[in-house]
Amino acid sequence: MGPPPGVLPPPQSAPYGGPLPGRYAPPQGQFAPPPGQFQQGAPYQGQWAQPYYGGPGQFNGFQPQRRRGGAVRLILFGFAVLAILCGALVAISVILTGGSTDDAAQPGVTGPSIVPTATTNPQKGSAEDYLLNAEIYRSGALPEQNCRAANLGNGSLAAQKVYYQKLFTCLNDAWRPIFKGLDQEKPDPGLVVFDKPVVTPCGNFAPLSGRVLAFYCYGNQVMYTDVQQMNKAFGPQQDLAYLMTIAHEYGHHVQGVTGLFYARAAYLQDHPDKKLEYSRRNELQASCFAGVFSKAVANTYPLTNRMNEFKEQSSNSFGESPSTPPEERTHGLATSQGFWIQNGFNISENKACNTYAAPANLVQ
C-alpha cells in the first residue's frame, strides 16, 4: 500500500528531545533493477514505504496476540514451543534442553538454538541471493550494554516516554557499531510515543487503532508506539513486552539500513505468490534481531533471573493464533514469534536471524 504524500508534522505527543532524530529522505523516484539483479539501497518499482505486500496504509506494525475470551493466554510456553518444533528436531538440530550444535550457544541454555543455513544457490547478485547471504548475518554479536530498565510506573505517557527513551538510547548504542562495520553509518532512527492521533508518511493513526501496538515507517525511518494500546494489551507491569515491542520495531530499521527491506520488495516483484510467507519471514527476522539485542542488555536490564518470564512473554504476547485466517497471517504465530526471539537471544549473534534460510515450518 502506498503511503499518502506529505511531510511528517510534529506530533501532538512530541518525541524525545524535540525534533525527530534521524529523519532522512527515502530514495526518490521508481526503479526496477535489471532482471535477476538486486542493488542494495535502491528503491524498487512501485510506491515507497510498501511494507508487507502492497495497498494503501500498510506499515510494519506489531500486534498483541489475540486472547480467547480475553481471559487467558492462548497456549502455555512449554507446550507451544514443543508443538512448533516437533516436526523439525532432526532436520535442523533444534535444541530444547541443554547441549548445543553451535558453539555460539551457551552451556545450559534452553530453548531454540539454530543458525539457519541456505539450502539453495540463487543467482549471484539477485534479491534472493541478498536475502540469504546478507552481510548482516556475519556481523556477530551486539556489544553488551549497561541498560537498566526504567520504571514504567502507572504506564502513563510520561512514564512510557522515560522507559522508551532509555531503551531507545541503548538500541542506538548497540546497533550503531554493527552498522559502522557494514559501512552503513546512517542517522539514528526517530521515535514517537503518542496518545493522540499522528500523521505519518505511512498513514494517519489514532490511539487504539485496531490491534497495533507500535509500527515502523520506512518513509521517514521513525518508530511509533501507542501508549494506550500498550496499556490495554499489557499494563505497566509486563515491562518485557515493552522491551520486545520496541526492539522488534528497531529490527525493521536494521532491515532498512542493511538493504534487507529492499531485497524483499524486489524479490516479491517476481514472486507475488510469496507475499504472505515473506511478510512472516520479515516480521520474524525483526523479532530475532530483538532477541539478539535482549541478550546485549540481559545482565544489566536485567533478564538473568527472569528467563522463564522472558520465554513465556515472547511466545504468548505477539503474533497470530492458529485460528487466524491464512490470508491474515502476516506476522507469524505467537509460538513462531517466541521461537525467533529466543533463538536470537540464545545464539546472541545476528547469524541466528536468517529467517529467509529457515524451513517453512519455523515461519508459520
Side-chain angles (χ1 to χ4, degrees):
M1 301 187 231
V7 179
L8 180 71
Q12 296 181 51
S13 298
Y16 311 125
L20 290 174
R23 286 173 60 186
Y24 53 101
Q28 300 299 311
Q30 298 182 352
F31 171 79
Q37 296 295 311
F38 164 69
Q39 296 185 7
Q40 181 180 354
Y44 54 90
Q45 188 175 20
Q47 292 180 308
W48 164 257
Q50 192 175 18
Y52 313 142
Y53 48 85
Q58 283 194 356
F59 52 91
N60 283 278
F62 212 26
Q63 300 182 350
Q65 162 71 1
R66 290 190 187 276
R67 291 163 174 76
R68 291 178 180 171
V72 295
R73 300 192 184 283
L74 183 62
I75 305 174
L76 292 176
F77 166 77
F79 295 103
V81 172
L82 287 173
I84 195 169
L85 297 182
C86 64
L89 287 172
V90 176
I92 60 172
S93 300
V94 170
I95 295 171
L96 293 177
T97 56
S100 174
T101 57
D102 188 271
D103 58 8
Q106 298 179 2
V109 165
T110 60
S113 183
I114 68 166
V115 177
T117 303
T119 57
T120 59
N121 294 302
Q123 179 183 348
K124 195 72 175 175
S126 67
E128 183 181 9
D129 177 51
Y130 193 86
L131 290 171
L132 290 172
N133 300 297
E135 193 177 354
I136 182 69
Y137 306 139
R138 299 184 293 278
S139 61
L142 275 59
E144 185 174 349
Q145 301 296 305
N146 185 357
C147 195
R148 181 166 292 276
N151 194 325
L152 278 165
N154 62 357
S156 66
L157 173 65
Q160 286 197 34
K161 277 190 173 182
V162 170
Y163 177 89
Y164 284 127
Q165 182 174 25
K166 187 166 187 179
L167 188 61
F168 195 59
T169 297
C170 296
L171 280 158
N172 284 325
D173 289 346
W175 282 105
R176 204 177 290 124
I178 299 296
F179 297 154
K180 183 176 181 179
L182 298 174
D183 294 325
Q184 296 292 331
E185 296 187 69
K186 305 290 188 182
D188 295 336
L191 174 65
V192 172
V193 182
F194 67 93
D195 65 352
K196 296 178 181 177
V198 291
V199 179
T200 87
C202 290
N204 303 337
F205 300 93
L208 301 175
S209 298
R211 295 172 51 243
V212 175
L213 298 168
F215 63 95
Y216 176 79
C217 182
Y218 287 100
N220 61 351
Q221 294 80 45
V222 174
M223 287 171 278
Y224 298 83
T225 63
D226 184 339
V227 168
Q228 295 182 41
Q229 193 76 279
M230 291 298 292
N231 258 330
K232 178 182 176 182
F234 305 112
Q237 292 77 34
Q238 300 184 52
D239 63 291
L240 296 187
Y242 290 71
L243 164 66
M244 293 179 218
T245 297
I246 194 66
H248 167 97
E249 295 307 333
Y250 205 102
H252 288 309
H253 179 66
V254 174
Q255 292 167 330
V257 169
T258 60
L260 288 165
F261 166 72
Y262 302 97
R264 181 173 64 95
Y267 177 82
L268 289 178
Q269 289 183 63
D270 296 326
H271 303 85
D273 58 310
K274 297 282 191 178
K275 61 184 181 181
L276 283 173
E277 177 190 338
Y278 273 58
S279 174
R280 292 193 297 271
R281 291 184 186 275
N282 174 67
E283 294 296 335
L284 293 168
Q285 182 176 70
S287 289
C288 182
F289 287 140
V292 175
F293 170 77
S294 297
K295 182 67 173 185
V297 301
N299 290 330
T300 56
Y301 185 86
L303 291 172
T304 48
N305 61 345
R306 302 178 68 185
M307 286 313 300
N308 288 339
E309 181 185 355
F310 182 78
K311 292 175 180 179
E312 195 276 340
Q313 190 76 267
S314 66
S315 290
N316 293 281
S317 295
F318 315 105
E320 293 133 5
S321 73
S323 63
T324 303
E327 67 274 11
E328 297 177 15
R329 294 185 184 179
T330 58
H331 281 61
L333 296 172
T335 47
S336 297
Q337 286 285 337
F339 179 97
W340 287 103
I341 292 171
Q342 293 165 47
N343 196 58
F345 184 95
N346 290 341
I347 296 297
S348 71
E349 294 187 24
N350 291 318
K351 63 183 178 181
C353 300
N354 188 354
T355 54
Y356 292 99
N361 63 311
L362 291 183
V363 293
Q364 295 301 309

